[in-house]
Amino acid sequence: MALTISLSDELAKKLQQAAEKQQLSIEETAMVILRDALRQEDFFPTPEQVVAKIKALPKNPNAIRPAQGSLAEALRNAPHDPDFNLEEWNREWAKMEAEIEALGK
């Protein structure tokens, strides 16, 4: 199978340097890198693995912002969107739910 990949100049230069270091062609080096990366079990983590990694991170107090007011009040005072059509939105939502249900069968 032939594959064409466009690389930034910086990445192409690094790939060329790696190829020279290993005394391989740039194509062979790219294939080795891809093969090795795809062999890793955690290369494509599941959503559960991603959530577990996030949960394992230490808490960062700088990332927590205290509430600035009432969410209910903010929602009540939100600007009105004159282009929003509730009936159309509900029709589209029902279509999406039907598609999701059809996929699950």
Side-chain angles (χ1 to χ4, degrees):
M1 169 182 173
L3 176 67
T4 302
I5 301 174
S6 297
L7 303 174
S8 67
D9 291 341
E10 180 183 345
L11 190 54
K13 183 178 178 182
K14 287 182 180 182
L15 186 59
Q16 182 64 48
Q17 290 170 346
E20 290 170 2
K21 189 184 270 188
Q22 296 176 32
Q23 298 180 343
L24 296 171
S25 72
I26 196 166
E27 292 85 0
E28 290 170 319
T29 303
M31 285 189 298
V32 167
I33 292 169
L34 284 170
R35 182 197 65 217
D36 292 347
L38 292 172
R39 282 187 181 156
Q40 295 179 17
E41 288 183 23
D42 62 347
F43 186 75
F44 297 109
T46 65
E48 292 80 10
Q49 290 170 322
V50 172
V51 169
K53 283 183 181 181
I54 292 169
K55 285 182 175 180
L57 293 173
K59 293 191 183 342
N60 179 357
N62 296 325
I64 299 171
R65 293 188 307 170
Q68 301 283 320
S70 164
L71 174 60
E73 186 178 317
L75 291 172
R76 278 192 298 272
N77 296 327
H80 176 69
D81 181 358
D83 296 327
F84 181 74
N85 181 327
L86 181 59
E87 289 177 15
E88 181 181 340
W89 188 90
N90 283 330
R91 275 194 308 276
E92 291 296 319
W93 184 260
K95 270 181 22 184
M96 292 303 298
E97 284 186 332
E99 287 181 30
I100 291 169
E101 189 176 323
L103 289 172
K105 292 181 179 179

Short mmCIF file of all heavy atoms in Angstrom, two decimals, residues 42 45 48-57:
data_model
loop_
_atom_site.label_atom_id
_atom_site.label_comp_id
_atom_site.label_asym_id
_atom_site.label_seq_id
_atom_site.Cartn_x
_atom_site.Cartn_y
_atom_site.Cartn_z
N ASP A 42 -1.57 1.01 24.37
CA ASP A 42 -2.28 2.22 24.79
C ASP A 42 -2.22 3.32 23.75
O ASP A 42 -2.48 4.47 24.04
CB ASP A 42 -1.75 2.71 26.13
CG ASP A 42 -0.28 3.11 26.07
OD1 ASP A 42 0.39 2.76 25.07
OD2 ASP A 42 0.19 3.77 27.00
N PRO A 45 -6.18 4.74 23.33
CA PRO A 45 -6.83 4.42 24.60
C PRO A 45 -8.35 4.47 24.48
O PRO A 45 -8.91 5.21 23.68
CB PRO A 45 -6.33 5.53 25.54
CG PRO A 45 -5.93 6.65 24.64
CD PRO A 45 -5.49 6.01 23.34
N GLU A 48 -12.63 4.88 28.71
CA GLU A 48 -12.45 4.55 30.12
C GLU A 48 -11.02 4.78 30.56
O GLU A 48 -10.76 5.26 31.67
CB GLU A 48 -12.86 3.08 30.38
CG GLU A 48 -14.33 2.81 30.23
CD GLU A 48 -14.79 2.63 28.77
OE1 GLU A 48 -13.94 2.54 27.86
OE2 GLU A 48 -16.01 2.58 28.56
N GLN A 49 -10.04 4.45 29.69
CA GLN A 49 -8.64 4.67 30.02
C GLN A 49 -8.33 6.17 30.11
O GLN A 49 -7.58 6.59 30.98
CB GLN A 49 -7.73 4.01 28.98
CG GLN A 49 -7.75 2.50 29.03
CD GLN A 49 -7.05 1.86 27.84
OE1 GLN A 49 -7.14 2.35 26.72
NE2 GLN A 49 -6.35 0.77 28.10
N VAL A 50 -8.92 6.94 29.22
CA VAL A 50 -8.71 8.39 29.25
C VAL A 50 -9.26 8.97 30.54
O VAL A 50 -8.59 9.76 31.22
CB VAL A 50 -9.35 9.08 28.02
CG1 VAL A 50 -9.31 10.59 28.15
CG2 VAL A 50 -8.67 8.63 26.74
N VAL A 51 -10.47 8.56 30.91
CA VAL A 51 -11.09 9.05 32.15
C VAL A 51 -10.24 8.64 33.35
O VAL A 51 -10.01 9.44 34.27
CB VAL A 51 -12.54 8.55 32.27
CG1 VAL A 51 -13.10 8.82 33.66
CG2 VAL A 51 -13.41 9.19 31.20
N ALA A 52 -9.75 7.41 33.35
CA ALA A 52 -8.92 6.94 34.47
C ALA A 52 -7.65 7.77 34.60
O ALA A 52 -7.23 8.12 35.71
CB ALA A 52 -8.58 5.46 34.28
N LYS A 53 -7.03 8.11 33.46
CA LYS A 53 -5.83 8.95 33.50
C LYS A 53 -6.14 10.33 34.05
O LYS A 53 -5.38 10.89 34.83
CB LYS A 53 -5.21 9.07 32.10
CG LYS A 53 -4.45 7.85 31.66
CD LYS A 53 -3.81 8.08 30.31
CE LYS A 53 -3.07 6.86 29.82
NZ LYS A 53 -2.42 7.07 28.53
N ILE A 54 -7.27 10.88 33.63
CA ILE A 54 -7.67 12.21 34.12
C ILE A 54 -7.93 12.15 35.62
O ILE A 54 -7.48 13.02 36.37
CB ILE A 54 -8.91 12.72 33.35
CG1 ILE A 54 -8.55 13.01 31.90
CG2 ILE A 54 -9.49 13.96 34.03
CD1 ILE A 54 -9.74 13.27 31.00
N LYS A 55 -8.63 11.12 36.07
CA LYS A 55 -8.93 10.99 37.50
C LYS A 55 -7.66 10.80 38.33
O LYS A 55 -7.63 11.17 39.50
CB LYS A 55 -9.89 9.82 37.74
CG LYS A 55 -11.31 10.11 37.33
CD LYS A 55 -12.22 8.92 37.65
CE LYS A 55 -13.66 9.25 37.37
NZ LYS A 55 -14.56 8.11 37.68
N ALA A 56 -6.64 10.20 37.73
CA ALA A 56 -5.40 9.94 38.46
C ALA A 56 -4.54 11.20 38.60
O ALA A 56 -3.60 11.22 39.40
CB ALA A 56 -4.60 8.85 37.75
N LEU A 57 -4.85 12.24 37.85
CA LEU A 57 -4.08 13.47 37.95
C LEU A 57 -4.28 14.12 39.30
O LEU A 57 -5.38 14.08 39.86
CB LEU A 57 -4.49 14.46 36.84
CG LEU A 57 -4.17 14.07 35.41
CD1 LEU A 57 -4.81 15.06 34.44
CD2 LEU A 57 -2.67 14.02 35.21
#
